[in-house]
Amino acid sequence: MRFRASIVNVLTFSRIMQSIERLQKKCIMRFTEERMDIICNEDTDGGIQVWSQVKVDTLFEDYRIQSNANNEISLALAPEALLQALKSAMDASEVVMKLAKKNNHAVLNFSIVGMSHQQKRVLVSHDVRIDVLLPSDVAKLKEPLCPEPDIHIILPPLQKLRTVVDHMRQMSDVMMIEANHLGDLKISVENDDVMVDTKWTKCTIPTMGESIHVTFDSLTLEPTQDADREEPEPSRLFYVCLSIRSFIKFLSSHVVSTTTIACICEQHCIILYVYIGEAGDNGGVLTFYIPTRLND
């Protein structure tokens, strides 16, 4: 088993890890010849999961991978530890990441070349402890099963959403997101004393009769034929109630997002596609699943 790559986009890699490091103590990273997947699928507070695909040449050059499992390697590691290694490489002129062993345990080794204050070349080595997963264990990983979304809508900039939701979390543990096919989007919270909502209008949505297909090969909206699916009244609001804490964790992805598409499966979940680069660039996508929560 061999793996080695030069990281040419440390900032984007760091922002990706920043988006997920608060979700759980360990994540799974799966490397193939074409992409890097990042998976957070353990039971967490609020039930949020992440299934991400990033194209290899979005982050790496001189990418070499070899294994007996169709040249795929899957690792479990602490996102916080990986993020710290990437932060230490932020100003480096060269960063090489490779599989290695230290004290008889597998690690991801980061060989970081930088310059000292005296303008001398400095080499720093940083190890992140990992567990290499068996192919049989990786085969058991399955994305959540979700119904066909009732609506999909392009969200306002996540930084603006974060400001709104940060104010709301003092009032309730549960928030409601509503959207319709006129492009109206509303976020609201309520308690025994007050109800607060913020509304956006004219948000971009795909034309009815289209569905989102987010895969490594296609990060686009494609038309689908569903003769049994009735078109809803355009003004009808579809809604989902969510844990505010989970939604705020998702909003950490504002550091990497350009376009974010929300898909509401009413009374079931919300699926959020955060694009790395513009939606048509196929750089990659972080997919967040947040289940519905009843408002007590």
Side-chain angles (χ1 to χ4, degrees):
M1 181 182 299
R2 297 179 181 178
F3 175 75
R4 178 188 175 95
S6 296
I7 305 175
V8 293
N9 200 334
V10 176
L11 179 60
T12 297
F13 199 176
S14 178
R15 286 174 173 175
I16 291 170
M17 298 312 301
Q18 186 178 338
S19 299
I20 69 168
E21 63 99 8
R22 295 184 181 180
L23 297 181
Q24 59 189 49
K25 292 182 179 180
K26 277 201 171 185
C27 71
I28 295 169
M29 300 185 73
R30 179 169 56 202
F31 295 93
T32 73
E33 293 177 330
E34 296 183 337
R35 71 175 190 258
M36 176 186 74
D37 299 340
I38 304 175
I39 302 169
C40 298
N41 68 333
E42 294 182 359
D43 290 334
T44 59
D45 182 24
I48 186 171
Q49 294 192 34
V50 179
W51 294 72
S52 307
Q53 298 182 353
V54 184
K55 194 174 180 180
V56 160
D57 53 17
T58 299
L59 302 176
F60 307 114
E61 285 182 351
D62 299 325
Y63 184 88
R64 307 171 196 171
I65 186 168
Q66 182 180 354
S67 79
N68 293 327
N70 297 318
N71 290 335
E72 295 185 7
I73 299 174
S74 297
L75 318 170
L77 52 79
E80 183 179 6
L82 178 54
L83 180 60
Q84 289 302 317
L86 292 170
K87 285 182 176 179
S88 68
M90 199 64 68
D91 297 322
S93 59
E94 180 183 341
V95 185
V96 175
M97 178 177 68
K98 63 182 178 181
L99 278 179
K101 274 194 174 183
K102 186 174 183 179
N103 298 326
N104 207 33
H105 199 284
V107 297
L108 267 182
N109 172 261
F110 292 80
S111 180
I112 304 166
V113 177
M115 299 294 290
S116 69
H117 293 299
Q118 290 78 31
Q119 297 301 305
K120 294 183 178 180
R121 189 173 182 269
V122 176
L123 176 63
V124 176
S125 182
H126 196 127
D127 293 322
V128 175
R129 186 162 175 156
I130 60 173
D131 294 312
V132 179
L133 303 181
L134 296 174
S136 57
D137 292 330
V138 176
K140 297 175 184 177
L141 300 175
K142 302 295 181 184
E143 293 190 49
L145 294 175
C146 300
E148 183 73 17
D150 295 290
I151 186 170
H152 30 77
I153 187 167
I154 296 180
L155 295 182
L158 297 189
Q159 183 65 58
K160 293 183 178 180
L161 279 180
R162 188 179 185 182
T163 300
V164 170
V165 177
D166 276 340
H167 287 301
M168 290 180 169
R169 68 175 171 177
Q170 305 299 325
M171 305 174 196
S172 176
D173 295 328
V174 180
M175 60 181 285
M176 179 184 290
I177 297 181
E178 300 172 88
N180 64 24
H181 288 88
L182 296 176
D184 298 326
L185 174 71
K186 185 169 76 170
I187 296 179
S188 60
V189 295
E190 63 177 306
N191 56 35
D192 293 338
D193 300 317
V194 66
M195 176 179 178
V196 177
D197 65 66
T198 300
K199 184 176 180 180
W200 290 264
T201 60
K202 299 182 180 178
C203 294
T204 302
I205 62 172
T207 305
M208 285 303 298
E210 293 182 338
S211 178
I212 291 178
H213 293 262
V214 181
T215 66
F216 172 69
D217 296 319
S218 176
L219 303 180
T220 59
L221 296 172
E222 297 179 353
T224 60
Q225 303 296 326
D226 189 351
D228 297 329
R229 189 174 179 87
E230 296 183 3
E231 292 189 6
E233 177 67 29
S235 61
R236 179 190 168 183
L237 288 165
F238 294 96
Y239 74 93
V240 64
C241 294
L242 306 172
S243 159
I244 283 188
R245 182 180 297 180
S246 292
F247 197 72
I248 287 175
K249 287 180 179 180
F250 149 71
L251 289 172
S252 296
S253 62
H254 77 88
V255 295
V256 74
S257 70
T258 51
T259 300
T260 302
I261 300 176
C263 304
I264 294 177
C265 305
E266 193 167 62
Q267 301 186 47
H268 186 87
C269 70
I270 190 168
I271 308 168
L272 300 137
Y273 300 105
V274 179
Y275 291 99
I276 302 167
E278 297 302 325
D281 288 345
N282 289 354
V285 62
L286 311 182
T287 304
F288 293 77
Y289 297 85
I290 307 178
T292 190
R293 175 175 164 179
L294 296 178
N295 193 343
D296 301 327

